[in-house]
């Protein structure tokens, strides 16, 4: 048979096949690239946003004797080259820039302070590029001095102005450090970081800030500062008698990180740590690797696994529905070829010839469509995954294979005849048993998934991917087996009426042939996955809003480490958009008379509750007394030390305080109990400009609920999940509508023949339209309801297996309350398309003459 001639004759169905194949291949090849690109961006953002001390690779070794000391820059450079040489291949693309080395002491007390103040010394290999001297001069060579009868070294060093202010150090002052092996530090200059926000300084926060620590059981804080030495100071710095550590930092460049490489990066970091451990600087001084990169990658991998699971579910459903619509279009082509192939078989054509013709004719449409969709997918930025190549090939194989098998089975015998008066065949006992088994296994799988949760093994849990498929197949089987029975009951009721159209339309719907199975298998997963995606999207959106309020505790929150002046508060009240300002004081209080501490918030709770009237969070009412955290419950009246001694009775327990506390020991007190509240927090109602408020209070931090929500929503992984769900929902809705249209077209010839018969008996055009609607609407309505119920049930069934808290501000997404808008829109869209199709079909049938439809003898 001549394939190209058949292609010209059946150009319409082939054009539909081409368009469907193109869209399916574009989606199956383009969406994975887009999602993987977003995964890469999310990883790079996570690594970039983390401090350098967590992401960078730092090799460290201690020294406690002169034999282990490193006194020259060349010794550090030699080891730096070694670390780069032994770096695993997977890490080398990420460690592209030069590293730096440092030598620093720790826990070196200032003599005579009783351990309350510590002054360490440190050396940086790239200090000349990192700091600038604002007062005094850069340190030079060391000297010596006599102290308690001994000669001790005197290091020339520089400090930051914060250390000068907090520690009482100044230019020209010499400070003795140590407990027994003394040394002295002479301050000769004040420096500051050239780029204080550089991730580099997270490794050396002790050099640019004074660190305060509260020892266990103590009410006072220790102060720790580090002074910067020169190369000459390094030459006399020894680990003998003090805690001295050398570090080599290999900075990580997150721009080259990819999500696909995360498992390999974890292995490479472990391997690098193992190789570093076997290096030695002596018999008792091993090197070790310090990095927080594995923790960051492991946390990202957990978030990524959830995203991949959700994407696998929705993309798998999208691919199944797309293939179903393609198969429905192939059914249309098969019906058009039925007469031609029957004639060929009657004239001696072989079954192989029939299969080759069907496969070749299908390939004429689907191969160019697949190539076009595959080519267009390269316009989508992202890495080329195996699914990009395999997806279009799979679509082509399924389409060509189904066409060949379908027509070969239909024409396995020449001159095949079909009984027009038989609706359906009774299913065998074996088939019924298999279908019941599938339903039971699907329900049992959903129960087990909720009972056991996810597998603890790495990667995606296959059980999580199998259960939704099994539930969809089970729902389709139940729908197919059950929906004719209520229709037959309605038919019996319609038979008692005088109108013939309802009886005829519903009878044809109830006695639909096996061809009606395919639309059900397409519409049900399409609606189920789209409703599932919409419900999950709504659940994430609602939880994101809740998380943003819990992070801020007010429409706008202003916090400061120091007291906010009254004149600043007045200026803030006058800013356009500010409706109400609630004053608050946050601090740490002493519980009792011991060392127990708790976080406290003093605020007018009634005013605070008023600005949270429309928010999804709130706080219990409090007029007097104190609200405590669960860890402080059951203590009755609390004796607190905060500016003055306070005795306040416990009036309630709060699990968390929005905007302030989520765990630990904390409490809320009325702000009026303070003699003079030192206001350092403002809770603002209104839509004022955050930048303007920040300009009025430069020492404070200003955040808004809208800004916190935007930050959550703009996270690459979060936006990818929501965007992909939206795209899939729209695509599935489009495929569902196409399925309805194709269903009308596939049954058009048989329907036109039936309507033509009835027209000879006086059927009007309006009655013909009603007949067509009543014939197709039951299948659409029942399938839509089944898909809607399945889509609403899937989030609950998969609840413990899909943890979406990473995309909702670290709050668990558990509120999957259905939003009626999208399901109603989908159902309405399907109904409208069905009704319009009925009208179009009737209009086309009306223009045909009865002789074009009925053959001689049909009316006898």
């Amino acid at each position: 048979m001549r394939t190209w001639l058949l292609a010209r004759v059946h150009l319409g169905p082939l054009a539909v096949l081409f368009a469907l194949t193109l869209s399916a291949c574009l989606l199956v090849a383009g969406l994975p690239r887009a999602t993987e690109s977003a995964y890469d961006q999310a990883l790079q953002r996570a690594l970039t946003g983390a401090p350098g001390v967590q992401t960078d690779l730092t090799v460290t070794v201690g020294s406690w004797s002169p034999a282990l000391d490193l006194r020259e820059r060349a010794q550090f450079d030699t080891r730096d080259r070694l670390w780069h040489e032994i770096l695993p291949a997977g890490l080398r693309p990420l460690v592209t820039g030069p590293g730096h080395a440092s030598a620093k002491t720790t826990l070196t007390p200032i003599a005579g302070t009783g351990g309350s103040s510590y002054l360490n010394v440190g050396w940086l290999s790239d200090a000349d590029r990192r700091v600038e001297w604002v007062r005094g001069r850069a340190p030079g060579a060391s000297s010596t001095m006599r102290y308690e009868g001994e000669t001790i070294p005197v290091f020339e060093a520089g400090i930051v102005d914060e250390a000068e202010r907090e520690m009482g150090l100044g230019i020209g002052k010499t400070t003795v450090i140590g407990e027994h092996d003394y040394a002295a530090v002479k301050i000769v200059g004040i420096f500051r970081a050239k780029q204080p926000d550089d991730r580099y300084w997270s490794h050396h926060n002790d050099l640019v800030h004074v660190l305060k620590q509260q020892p266990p059981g103590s009410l006072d804080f220790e102060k720790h500062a580090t002074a910067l030495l020169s190369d000459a100071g390094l030459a006399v710095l020894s680990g003998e008698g003090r805690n001295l550590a050398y570090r080599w930092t290999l900075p990580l460049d997150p721009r080259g990180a990819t999500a696909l490489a995360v498992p390999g990066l974890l292995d490479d970091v472990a391997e690098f740590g193992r190789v570093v451990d076997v290096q030695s600087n002596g018999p008792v001084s091993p090197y070790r690797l310090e990095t927080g990169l594995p923790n960051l990658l492991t946390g990202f991998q957990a978030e990524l696994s959830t995203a991949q699971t959700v994407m696998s579910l929705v993309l798998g459903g999208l691919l199944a529905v797309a293939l179903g619509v393609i198969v429905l279009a192939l059914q249309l082509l098969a019906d058009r070829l039925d007469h031609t192939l029957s004639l060929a078989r009657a004239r001696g054509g072989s079954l192989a010839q029939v299969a080759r013709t069907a496969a070749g004719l299908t390939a004429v449409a689907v191969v160019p469509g697949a190539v076009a969709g595959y080519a267009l997918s390269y316009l989508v930025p992202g890495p080329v995954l195996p699914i990009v190549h395999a997806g279009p090939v799979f679509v082509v194989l399924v389409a060509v294979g189904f066409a060949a098998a379908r027509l070969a089975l239909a024409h396995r015998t020449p001159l095949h005849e079909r009984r027009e008066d038989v609706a359906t065949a009774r299913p065998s006992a074996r088939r019924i048993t298999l279908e019941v088994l599938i339903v039971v296994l699907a329900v049992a799988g959903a129960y087990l998934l909720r009972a056991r949760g996810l597998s603890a093994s790495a990667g995606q849990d296959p059980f999580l991917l199998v259960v939704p498929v099994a539930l969809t197949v089970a729902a389709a089987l139940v729908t197919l087996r059950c929906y004719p029975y209520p229709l037959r009951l309605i038919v019996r009721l319609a038979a008692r009426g005088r109108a013939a159209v309802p009886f005829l339309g519903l009878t044809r719907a109830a006695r639909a042939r096996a061809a009606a199975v395919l639309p059900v298998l397409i519409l049900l997963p399409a609606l189920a996955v789209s409703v599932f995606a919409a419900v999950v999207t709504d659940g994430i959106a609602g939880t994101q809003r809740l998380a943003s309020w819990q992070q801020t505790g007010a429409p706008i929150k202003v916090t400061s480490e120091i007291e906010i002046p009254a004149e600043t508060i007045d200026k803030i009240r006058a800013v356009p958009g500010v409706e109400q300002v609630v004053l608050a004081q946050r601090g740490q209080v002493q519980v009792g008379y011991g060392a127990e501490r708790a976080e406290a918030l003093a605020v007018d709770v009634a005013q605070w509750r008023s600005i949270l009237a429309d928010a999804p969070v709130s706080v219990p009412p409090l007029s007097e007394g104190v609200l405590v955290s669960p860890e402080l419950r059951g203590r009755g009246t609390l004796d607190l030390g905060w500016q003055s001694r306070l005795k306040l009775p416990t009036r309630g327990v709060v699990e968390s305080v929005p905007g302030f506390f989520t765990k630990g020991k904390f409490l809320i007190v009325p702000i009026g109990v303070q003699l003079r509240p030192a206001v350092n927090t403002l809770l603002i109602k209104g839509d004022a400009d955050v930048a303007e408020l920040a300009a009025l209070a430069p020492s404070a931090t200003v955040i808004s609920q809208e800004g916190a929500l935007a930050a959550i929503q703009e996270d690459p992984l979060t936006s990818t999940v929501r965007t992909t769900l939206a795209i899939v929902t729209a695509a599935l809705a489009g495929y569902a509508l196409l399925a309805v249209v194709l269903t009308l077209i596939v049954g058009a010839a048989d329907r036109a023949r039936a309507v033509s018969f009835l027209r000879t008996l006086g059927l009007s055009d309006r009655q013909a339209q009603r007949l067509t609607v009543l014939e197709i609407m039951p299948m659409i309505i029942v399938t839509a309801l089944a898909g809607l119920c399945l889509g609403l049930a899937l989030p609950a069934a998969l609840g413990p297996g899909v943890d979406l808290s990473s995309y909702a501000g670290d709050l668990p997404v558990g509120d999957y309350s259905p939003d009626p808008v999208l399901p109603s829109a989908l159902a309405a869209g399907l109904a409208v398309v069905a009704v319009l199709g009925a009208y179009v079909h009737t209009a086309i049938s009306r223009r045909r003459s009865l002789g074009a439809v009925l053959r001689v003898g049909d009316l006898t």
Side-chain angles (χ1 to χ4, degrees), residues 21-72:
T21 306
L22 185 150
S23 64
C25 292
L26 176 59
L27 289 172
V28 77
L31 280 179
R33 293 190 64 178
T35 54
E36 196 63 36
S37 176
Y39 297 158
D40 294 344
Q41 294 176 15
L43 174 60
Q44 293 163 12
R45 177 172 174 175
L47 295 180
T48 303
V53 69
Q54 294 186 20
T55 60
D56 297 342
L57 307 174
T58 300
V59 179
T60 181
V61 67
S63 174
W64 49 84
S65 71
L68 302 176
D69 291 339
L70 303 179
R71 311 233 174 171
E72 298 179 359

Side-chain angles (χ1 to χ4, degrees), residues 310-656:
V310 175
M311 294 300 100
S312 299
L313 291 175
V314 297
L315 292 179
L318 177 61
L319 176 61
V321 171
L323 288 175
V325 176
I326 291 175
V327 168
L328 191 57
L330 289 172
Q331 178 69 34
L332 173 63
L333 180 63
D335 290 346
R336 299 289 177 85
L337 291 174
D338 184 74
H339 179 72
T340 302
L341 296 180
S342 297
L343 183 60
R345 286 284 282 157
R347 292 177 176 178
S350 66
L351 197 60
Q353 250 182 324
V354 171
R356 284 197 303 270
T357 301
L361 190 59
T362 303
V364 168
V366 298
V367 171
V371 172
Y374 175 77
L376 288 175
S377 70
Y378 277 83
L379 298 177
V380 180
V384 180
L385 306 173
I387 187 64
V388 175
H389 307 303
V393 174
F394 179 72
V395 171
V396 170
L397 292 178
V398 169
V400 174
F402 175 82
R406 164 72 177 80
L407 289 174
L409 288 175
H411 297 275
R412 59 185 179 273
T413 57
L415 299 176
H416 65 288
E417 294 289 340
R418 289 177 291 191
R419 292 281 304 274
E420 298 292 343
D421 58 336
V422 177
T424 54
R426 183 180 298 276
S428 64
R430 180 181 300 177
R431 182 171 180 177
I432 293 177
T433 303
L434 178 61
E435 292 177 355
V436 171
L437 179 62
I438 292 175
V439 174
V440 172
L441 290 178
V443 175
Y447 172 78
L448 290 177
L449 181 61
R450 290 191 59 85
R452 77 173 180 92
L454 279 179
S455 172
S457 60
Q460 297 185 33
D461 188 352
F463 198 63
L464 183 61
L465 301 178
V466 171
V467 168
V469 176
L471 288 174
T472 303
V473 173
L477 291 175
V478 171
T479 302
L480 289 173
R481 291 301 174 204
C482 295
Y483 98 92
Y485 297 106
L487 280 182
R488 291 172 185 173
L489 179 61
I490 297 175
V491 168
R492 291 185 179 181
L493 296 177
R496 298 179 181 180
R498 300 181 61 183
V501 171
F503 171 75
L504 292 174
L506 294 174
T507 299
R508 286 180 58 82
R511 301 179 65 187
R513 291 181 172 275
V517 171
L518 193 55
V520 174
L521 294 179
I522 297 170
L523 289 176
L524 192 142
L527 291 171
V529 175
S530 60
V531 171
F532 168 77
V535 170
V536 169
T537 301
D538 289 340
I540 292 176
T543 309
Q544 286 175 340
R545 181 171 180 268
L546 175 62
S548 67
W549 278 101
Q550 290 196 349
Q551 289 179 11
T552 57
I556 302 175
K557 183 175 70 172
V558 180
T559 57
S560 175
E561 295 295 330
I562 60 177
E563 183 177 357
I564 302 175
E567 55 271 18
T568 301
I569 298 176
D570 293 337
K571 292 178 181 178
I572 289 176
R573 283 195 173 102
V575 172
V578 173
E579 301 176 14
Q580 183 180 358
V581 177
V582 179
L583 309 182
Q585 179 184 357
R586 178 179 177 177
Q588 196 174 64
V589 301
Q590 181 186 17
V591 181
Y593 289 91
E596 185 179 11
R597 296 281 180 133
E599 296 293 328
L601 178 68
V603 65
D604 188 326
V605 176
Q607 292 186 18
W608 191 11
R609 285 170 56 86
S610 69
I611 68 174
L612 293 177
D614 299 327
V617 296
S618 185
V619 290
L622 177 69
S623 57
E624 53 88 22
V626 60
L627 298 173
V628 300
S629 65
E631 295 188 13
L632 295 175
R633 77 167 74 222
R635 300 197 184 187
T637 299
L638 294 180
D639 195 324
L640 307 175
W642 193 13
Q643 293 183 348
S644 61
R645 300 304 303 184
L646 303 173
K647 287 189 176 182
L648 301 173
T650 301
R651 297 304 185 196
V653 178
V654 288
E655 298 292 333
S656 63

Side-chain angles (χ1 to χ4, degrees), residues 683-694:
L683 304 173
I684 302 174
K685 179 181 180 181
D687 56 354
D689 183 24
V690 173
E692 185 175 356
L693 295 175

